[in-house]
Amino acid sequence: MIDAQARSVLERLYAEDAAQRAAGLPSSHRTRNLERETGGWLSLLARATRARQMLEIGSSNGVSTIWLALAARETGGTVTGTEILPARAAEANANLRGAGLARRATVIAGDAQQTIAGLAGPFDLVFIDAEKDDYIAHFLAAIDKVRVGGLILADNVISHDISTYQALLRARADVETATVPIGRGIEFTLKTGGAG
């Protein structure tokens, strides 16, 4: 599923991420890429569910976007990424072009909630990997644009305290959720369609 062109870009980006961590850069100055194992799992899940319309909140330089776009290439779908930092969004789009995936994914620069408001949906899969304090706002901006049976996945729920976000999910009647202990932890949420 992963071809040599995309693999080459991912290897470069993971090497850059490792160098940033080794240099002790603060998290605000790092690309904070999705772990390789989690990226492969995310792509596999998107393929298994035949996700076609995907939304990514917090694209950074495009590592997770590439993983989703690899699945979109197989399912015939597309990925819309969001990234608040314009330079990172431009880097992500350049990396998608380098990986041969620009026809499958685009990263939009700007505030994610404003971007989401302008998107039609419905989405089969939403991936949240942004500033942790914003998870609830991102979820609320996206949930009405997720189809019943669609997934909302949030990263870093074991490595960080995301308990407020998890409590919100568990209090809602329109979703079912579970924490998956892969990488830094994924909150795996299914939209069931009950009253919110």
Side-chain angles (χ1 to χ4, degrees), residues 57 82-85 108-117 134 138:
I57 302 171
T82 66
E83 173 54 47
I84 196 162
L85 300 174
I108 301 170
D111 178 81
Q113 291 160 51
Q114 292 177 7
T115 299
I116 294 166
D134 295 332
H138 292 324

Side-chain angles (χ1 to χ4, degrees), residues 172-190:
R172 292 178 65 104
D174 60 342
V175 300
E176 293 181 27
T177 194
T179 303
V180 179
I182 186 168
R184 297 182 181 102
I186 295 281
E187 192 68 22
F188 182 105
T189 306
L190 174 72

Side-chain angles (χ1 to χ4, degrees), residues 150-173:
L151 299 174
I152 305 98
L153 308 169
D155 196 23
N156 300 114
V157 299
I158 293 175
S159 61
H160 294 69
D161 180 6
I162 318 277
S163 56
T164 305
Y165 172 71
Q166 292 169 306
L168 169 84
L169 297 176
R170 285 161 176 75
R172 292 178 65 104

